[in-house]
């Protein structure tokens, strides 16, 4: 009877597991293998023949100034975006964890941007922030100077960063909120008995207990920002003068505009390895931090 | 019980797609022709749908499926098609296509029958042949490198028809006069528009002297980092430095830019002849004029596309190339639909006798201007067999943005960047 039950559980698991695994292998693993294969050839994506050139595409990428500047831009978004979203999301989560009649409304409002596609968000903000768009028209009507949000090289990266922070914060807030709600009330009661003020409670109870959420959010955000594409593509397409060109935009440009599929594949493989390595290091470091904080 | 239920669900999801595929097979008994159409403010989806409907009614049993592309989401047709080739879902008929040489060499284009009786009305038909085969034909001419101007604002700033500039010096003086009158001289925008600084402004000067510029670059005889090119770029840079271009240009999209000019936000607007169609349809109370982008010595030189035919080509692996060819002819040669196409996009017929449409006063003025100027190829245009490397437009665009935003280390660097790319691709 027990054996039959175990067999049926295994079959159930297999049925549930297989579709997801097949999609994962077919769409992700297979693509990465194909990309790795193409990276050793010279191929434009339309010719019927490919020339084997070994590691030339990798060597070419490291020597390319545009590749290096795209990498710097990507890290700019990843580091500032991850830090900013974490700070804002923790503050919002603590605020939303209070008992208040409007709490549910605020939760929905903060999470709402996460439900809109990045492409739609891009088009909405493009209309709002254009030099002759709604925001600048209002500024002009109020007698204020117009701002070139997306057209000036010094403004465009900040504008994109702010929009992406606005879009991502809701999701991070929900994760932190879940973490906050898992903290036993006894700990707060004990801290209260010891005479702890709000800051001390946050520093010695809330903050350490949020460590698992912090790990999840940080790894999720950092790896997400390293792949940032949609919002940049719609808002600036990497411009002006390549100042918002992330690695993903660069890959798209060399692969699909310049028809250098093999070179783009090499850059994509490089990025995959880089992002995987960073994600593993981040996870390892943050897991250790969790253990230290909670112990 | 649970297992049976799950197996049932799995079977349902496996059988469902098969059922759909059977349904598709039934539908496939009628012929489906996939047509890549380029959606623009002039060539709307409704416009293409009307032509598709007309073709379907003339060809019972044929269904035309429109595959939409637009400059907002896709850099160009080659980019769009390359992705489709990778996915295996390639439209039968493509439009706005320029990379004939590369795609023909790769075996992706269907050679159209050059001896087709309907094609004999195309002026200089075989000019578009590549390695002896015809893949597209020039049913229209599209003048580019044009400077449209608002005649009312022109007069308000104290300028007359005699002040129409031909040389750089005259153009600089016009810009200064307009600026002194408190108006913005030139409307320019972001998205793909910065390209025109290179294609029109540089093209007007460069292609005059070197009509086969790309052949010279490809053979190594000429480079972009050349004193002559640098002089042109320095001139454009001086226009930016003097504040002659509209403020916040790079965050104004193409569609917004057109509206900005129509709403009198600037006196002049560099664009191609397709603007004449938008101007004709616009609700405005001022008259628009046109002149060629000035050159250094004042010799009029208008760039005109058409080096790659009318942009319609047929996929080599189309199951119905003959039918796609009929659709191609309908949209470009048919007295009704061909004329509507050139009217919708402000084009001029290249047929003998030419297709005509009721022209606006601006279109009439442009036609008259075309009779007075010399024509040259735009720098970006691809003379067959002398093509620039694919993706060169990225560099023109980002260099245009660098000029407009004044974010460059030196002008020589901008030019070297193009040379480096050309050399890198050659490797």
């Amino acid at each position: 009877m027990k054996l039959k039950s175990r067999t049926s559980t295994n079959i159930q698991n297999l049925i549930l597991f297989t579709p997801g695994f097949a999609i994962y292998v077919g769409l992700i693993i297979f693509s990465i293998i194909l990309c790795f294969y193409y990276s050793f050839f010279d191929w434009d994506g339309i010719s019927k023949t490919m020339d084997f050139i070994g590691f030339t595409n990798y060597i070419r990428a490291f020597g390319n100034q545009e590749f290096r500047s795209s990498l710097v831009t990507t890290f700019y978004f990843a580091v500032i975006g991850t830090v900013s979203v974490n700070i804002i999301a923790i503050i919002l989560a603590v605020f939303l964890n209070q008992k208040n009649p409007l709490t549910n409304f605020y939760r929905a409002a903060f999470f709402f941007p996460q439900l809109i596609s990045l492409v739609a968000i891009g088009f909405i903000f493009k209309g709002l922030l254009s030099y002759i768009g709604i925001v600048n028209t209002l500024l002009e009507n109020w007698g204020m100077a117009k701002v070139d949000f997306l057209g000036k090289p010094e403004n465009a990266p900040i504008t994109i960063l702010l929009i992406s922070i606005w879009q991502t914060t809701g999701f991070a807030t929900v994760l932190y909120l879940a973490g906050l709600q898992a903290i036993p009330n006894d700990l707060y009661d004990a801290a209260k008995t010891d005479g702890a003020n709000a800051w001390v409670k946050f520093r010695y109870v809330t903050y350490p207990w949020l460590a698992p959420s912090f790990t999840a959010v940080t790894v999720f955000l950092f790896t997400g920002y390293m792949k940032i594409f949609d919002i940049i593509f719609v808002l600036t397409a990497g411009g002006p003068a390549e100042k918002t060109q992330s690695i993903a935009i660069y890959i798209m440009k060399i692969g699909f505009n310049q028809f250098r599929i093999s070179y783009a594949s090499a850059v994509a493989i490089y990025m995959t390895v880089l992002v995987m390595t960073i994600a593993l290091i981040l996870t390892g470091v943050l897991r250790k931090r969790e253990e230290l904080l909670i112990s | 019980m649970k297992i049976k239920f799950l197996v049932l669900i799995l079977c349902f999801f496996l059988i469902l797609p098969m059922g759909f595929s059977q349904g598709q097979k039934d539908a496939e008994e009628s012929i489906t022709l996939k047509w890549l159409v380029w959606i623009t403010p002039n060539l709307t989806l409704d416009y293409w749908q009307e032509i598709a409907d007309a073709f379907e009614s003339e060809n019972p049993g044929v269904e035309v499926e429109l595959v939409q592309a637009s400059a907002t989401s896709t850099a160009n047709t080659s980019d769009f098609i390359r992705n489709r080739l990778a996915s295996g879902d390639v439209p039968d008929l493509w439009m706005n296509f320029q990379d004939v040489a590369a795609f023909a060499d790769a075996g992706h284009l269907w050679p159209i029958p050059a001896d087709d009786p309907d094609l004999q009305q195309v002026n200089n038909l075989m000019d578009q042949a590549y390695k002896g085969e015809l893949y597209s034909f020039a049913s229209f001419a599209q003048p580019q490198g044009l400077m449209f101007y608002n005649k009312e604002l022109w007069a308000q700033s104290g300028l007359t028809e005699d002040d129409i500039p031909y040389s750089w010096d005259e153009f600089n003086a016009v810009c200064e006069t307009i600026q002194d009158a408190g108006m913005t001289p030139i409307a320019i925008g972001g998205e793909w528009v910065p390209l025109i600084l290179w294609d029109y402004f540089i093209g007007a000067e460069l292609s005059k002297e070197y009509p086969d510029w790309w052949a010279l670059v490809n053979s190594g005889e000429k480079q972009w980092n050349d004193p002559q090119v640098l002089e042109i770029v320095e001139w454009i840079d001086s226009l930016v430095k003097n504040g002659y271009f509209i403020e916040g240009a790079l965050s104004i999209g193409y569609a917004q830019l057109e509206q900005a000019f129509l709403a009198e936000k600037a006196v002049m607007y560099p664009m191609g002849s397709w603007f004449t169609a938008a101007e004709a349809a616009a609700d405005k109370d001022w008259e628009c004029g046109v002149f060629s982008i000035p050159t250094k010595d004042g010799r009029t030189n208008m760039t005109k596309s058409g080096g790659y035919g009318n942009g319609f080509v047929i996929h080599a692996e189309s199951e119905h190339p003959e039918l796609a060819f009929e659709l191609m002819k309908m949209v470009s040669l048919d007295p009704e639909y061909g004329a509507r196409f050139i009217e919708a996009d402000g084009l001029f017929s290249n047929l003998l006798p030419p297709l005509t449409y009721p022209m606006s006063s601006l279109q009439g003025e442009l036609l008259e201007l075309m009779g007075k100027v010399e024509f040259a190829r735009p720098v970006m245009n691809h003379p067959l067999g002398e093509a620039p490397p694919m993706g060169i437009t990225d560099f023109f665009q980002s260099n245009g943005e660098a000029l407009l935003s004044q974010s460059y280390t030196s002008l020589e660097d901008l030019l070297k960047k193009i040379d480096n790319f050309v050399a890198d691709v050659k490797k």
Side-chain angles (χ1 to χ4, degrees):
Chain A
M1 187 64 188
K2 208 173 186 179
L3 188 69
K4 194 183 169 192
S5 160
R6 191 175 292 169
T7 313
S8 71
T9 309
N10 285 344
I11 294 172
Q12 259 187 48
N13 289 347
L14 192 71
I15 290 171
L16 292 170
F17 168 79
T18 308
F21 184 72
I23 291 170
Y24 178 70
V25 170
L27 296 181
I28 298 177
I29 301 296
F30 180 69
S31 305
I32 293 173
I33 293 169
L34 207 59
C35 204
F36 186 65
Y37 172 74
Y38 287 147
S39 70
F40 295 106
F41 290 87
D42 181 14
W43 186 48
D44 60 7
I46 56 169
S47 301
K48 288 173 180 170
T49 54
M50 299 192 288
D51 299 322
F52 181 78
I53 54 166
F55 284 93
T56 308
N57 284 320
Y58 291 92
I59 297 163
R60 190 176 285 172
F62 295 133
N64 189 298
Q65 199 275 329
E66 202 179 341
F67 167 72
R68 291 196 300 268
S69 71
S70 304
L71 201 58
V72 171
T73 306
T74 308
F75 272 105
Y76 166 85
F77 286 127
V79 174
I80 302 181
T82 306
V83 172
S84 310
V85 173
N86 263 313
I87 293 171
I88 299 168
I90 290 175
I91 294 170
L92 286 178
V94 171
F95 165 70
L96 291 176
N97 202 31
Q98 315 292 319
K99 279 179 187 158
N100 184 310
L102 286 175
T103 298
N104 281 341
F105 166 75
Y106 286 132
R107 280 179 193 177
F110 289 133
F111 191 71
F112 182 67
Q114 187 68 34
L115 302 176
I116 316 171
S117 96
L118 278 169
V119 174
I121 287 174
F123 280 114
I124 292 166
F125 276 97
K126 201 171 183 180
L128 287 171
L129 301 178
S130 153
Y131 199 74
I132 51 174
I134 297 165
V135 172
N136 272 315
T137 307
L138 287 173
L139 288 176
E140 200 176 24
N141 289 345
W142 293 334
M144 294 160 79
K146 289 167 92 172
V147 182
D148 195 355
F149 294 103
L150 297 166
K152 273 202 168 175
E154 55 272 31
N155 293 350
I158 300 168
T159 306
I160 287 176
L161 195 59
L162 290 175
I163 296 169
S164 72
I165 289 171
W166 169 81
Q167 198 264 345
T168 327
T169 300
F171 181 71
T173 306
V174 169
L175 288 184
Y176 279 125
L177 202 54
L180 283 175
Q181 284 166 357
I183 301 174
N185 275 333
D186 301 358
L187 294 176
Y188 288 110
D189 294 341
K192 198 177 172 185
T193 310
D194 290 345
N197 61 21
W199 166 249
V200 172
K201 275 195 254 176
F202 176 80
R203 172 70 187 82
Y204 293 100
V205 180
T206 312
Y207 184 65
W209 277 81
L210 275 184
S213 306
F214 181 79
T215 305
V217 170
T218 303
V219 173
F220 170 80
L221 285 176
F222 198 87
T223 51
Y225 270 111
M226 289 297 285
K227 298 178 287 183
I228 188 166
F229 176 82
D230 329 40
I231 203 149
I232 299 179
F233 185 69
V234 176
L235 284 169
T236 60
E242 294 157 9
K243 290 293 185 286
T244 61
Q245 183 170 281
S246 66
I247 281 286
I249 294 279
Y250 177 63
I251 291 170
M252 190 277 301
K253 207 168 94 173
I254 54 176
F256 301 115
N257 293 3
Q258 298 173 13
F259 289 69
R260 300 160 86 188
I261 290 295
S262 302
Y263 177 46
S265 299
V267 177
I269 289 295
Y270 170 80
M271 275 312 284
T272 307
V273 173
L274 184 72
V275 173
M276 275 170 64
T277 312
I278 291 174
L280 287 173
I281 293 171
L282 262 180
T283 312
V285 169
L286 293 173
R287 285 268 180 252
K288 269 193 182 162
R289 178 181 162 273
E290 279 175 37
E291 288 163 16
L292 280 173
L293 281 171
I294 294 175
S295 66
Chain B
M1 186 62 190
K2 256 186 193 172
I3 300 255
K4 279 181 190 164
F5 179 67
L6 284 169
V7 171
L8 209 66
I9 290 177
L10 190 66
C11 291
F12 176 74
F13 280 103
L14 287 173
I15 290 164
L16 198 69
M18 287 175 197
F20 268 114
S21 109
Q22 187 55 47
Q24 272 181 337
K25 269 183 193 164
D26 295 342
E28 276 165 14
E29 280 171 18
S30 71
I31 293 170
T32 301
L33 205 57
K34 288 188 180 178
W35 183 17
L36 168 65
V37 292
W38 203 253
I39 308 294
T40 72
N42 290 343
L43 305 169
T44 60
L45 181 61
D46 288 343
Y47 166 80
W48 294 117
Q49 191 59 58
E50 205 178 313
I51 298 176
D53 292 345
F55 189 78
E56 282 173 358
S57 63
E58 279 183 23
N59 297 273
V62 176
E63 190 193 331
V64 178
E65 183 187 321
L66 299 180
V67 180
Q68 300 173 49
S70 84
T72 312
S73 57
T74 312
N76 52 52
T77 303
S78 306
D79 176 7
F80 187 93
I81 289 297
R82 214 200 53 74
N83 292 340
R84 287 291 181 136
L85 284 168
S87 73
D89 181 18
V90 188
D92 299 276
L93 178 62
W94 316 341
M95 78 163 285
N96 209 16
F97 185 77
Q98 303 181 14
D99 292 312
V100 170
F103 277 70
D105 283 342
H108 293 302
L109 301 184
W110 185 73
I112 57 176
D115 56 353
D116 184 278
D118 292 332
L119 293 192
Q120 305 319 308
Q121 57 185 310
V122 179
N123 200 7
N124 300 322
L125 177 70
M126 292 312 284
D127 275 3
Q128 308 307 320
Y130 175 65
K131 295 184 179 173
E133 298 282 8
L134 199 62
Y135 298 97
S136 186
F137 52 88
S139 56
F140 59 75
Q142 185 182 64
Q144 300 176 356
L146 305 171
M147 188 67 86
F148 296 97
Y149 68 101
N150 182 320
K151 288 187 176 177
E152 192 181 294
L153 297 182
W154 185 269
Q156 275 176 28
S157 58
L159 295 164
T160 67
E161 292 291 308
D162 294 336
D163 293 312
I164 296 290
Y166 294 94
S167 68
W168 289 354
D169 289 341
E170 289 166 358
F171 186 71
N172 293 346
V174 161
C175 288
E176 197 180 341
T177 306
I178 294 170
Q179 199 177 48
D180 288 346
M183 290 180 253
T184 302
I186 312 164
I188 199 160
E191 292 176 359
W192 63 271
V193 181
L195 274 176
I196 67 177
L197 289 181
W198 293 77
D199 208 22
Y200 298 178
F201 284 70
I202 295 178
E205 185 63 30
L206 197 62
S207 54
K208 176 185 68 175
E209 200 146 336
Y210 306 104
D212 51 352
W213 173 254
W214 276 108
L216 297 172
V217 171
N218 289 339
S219 67
E221 275 180 66
K222 277 282 177 188
Q223 284 202 320
W224 278 91
N225 189 18
D226 173 277
Q228 203 172 349
V229 184
L230 184 63
E231 191 186 4
I232 313 170
V233 179
E234 281 170 346
W235 170 60
I236 299 169
D237 191 51
S238 73
L239 298 176
V240 180
K241 284 196 164 75
N242 287 327
Y244 294 153
F245 290 102
I246 196 167
E247 246 186 295
L250 292 177
S251 69
I252 303 173
Y254 166 54
Q256 284 179 316
L257 176 70
E258 190 175 271
Q259 290 310 310
F261 178 65
L262 290 169
E264 306 194 72
K265 302 277 185 201
V267 180
M268 295 181 283
Y269 177 46
M271 197 44 64
S273 67
W274 55 87
F275 170 69
T276 63
E279 191 269 347
D283 181 19
K284 58 179 183 55
D285 55 3
W286 53 270
E287 205 182 330
C288 189
V290 62
F291 56 88
S292 285
I293 300 272
T295 54
K296 188 183 171 190
D297 63 4
R299 180 178 151 196
T300 54
N301 187 39
M302 188 190 291
T303 50
K304 182 175 73 167
S305 98
Y308 46 82
N310 61 9
F312 290 102
V313 289
I314 296 163
H315 183 214
E317 287 171 30
S318 164
E319 284 178 24
H320 313 286
E322 290 84 5
L323 209 52
F325 181 50
E326 289 307 314
L327 180 57
M328 181 183 184
K329 285 197 293 182
M330 181 177 166
V331 73
S332 43
L333 303 178
D334 182 86
E336 184 188 346
Y337 293 103
R340 282 190 55 193
F341 178 67
I342 57 174
E343 180 181 11
D345 216 21
L347 302 163
F348 296 89
S349 177
N350 190 38
L351 304 184
L352 296 170
L355 296 178
T356 54
Y357 58 89
M359 288 190 181
S360 67
S361 96
L362 178 62
Q363 283 161 338
E365 196 175 319
L366 177 54
L367 193 63
E368 198 181 317
L369 181 67
M370 285 167 68
K372 295 176 189 167
V373 296
E374 290 175 57
F375 280 100
R377 290 168 178 149
V379 174
M380 221 172 63
N381 204 344
H382 305 176
L384 296 169
E386 296 168 11
M390 283 189 283
I392 193 76
T393 50
D394 279 347
F395 290 85
F396 288 157
Q397 179 158 338
S398 84
N399 280 355
E401 288 174 354
L403 280 175
L404 287 170
S405 62
Q406 294 286 286
S407 55
Y408 54 81
T409 44
S410 74
L411 295 175
E412 286 90 342
D413 275 352
L414 292 182
L415 297 173
K416 271 185 207 160
K417 214 167 134 186
I418 304 177
D419 286 326
N420 290 343
F421 172 66
V422 174
D424 199 28
V425 169
K426 270 187 193 168
K427 275 186 213 162

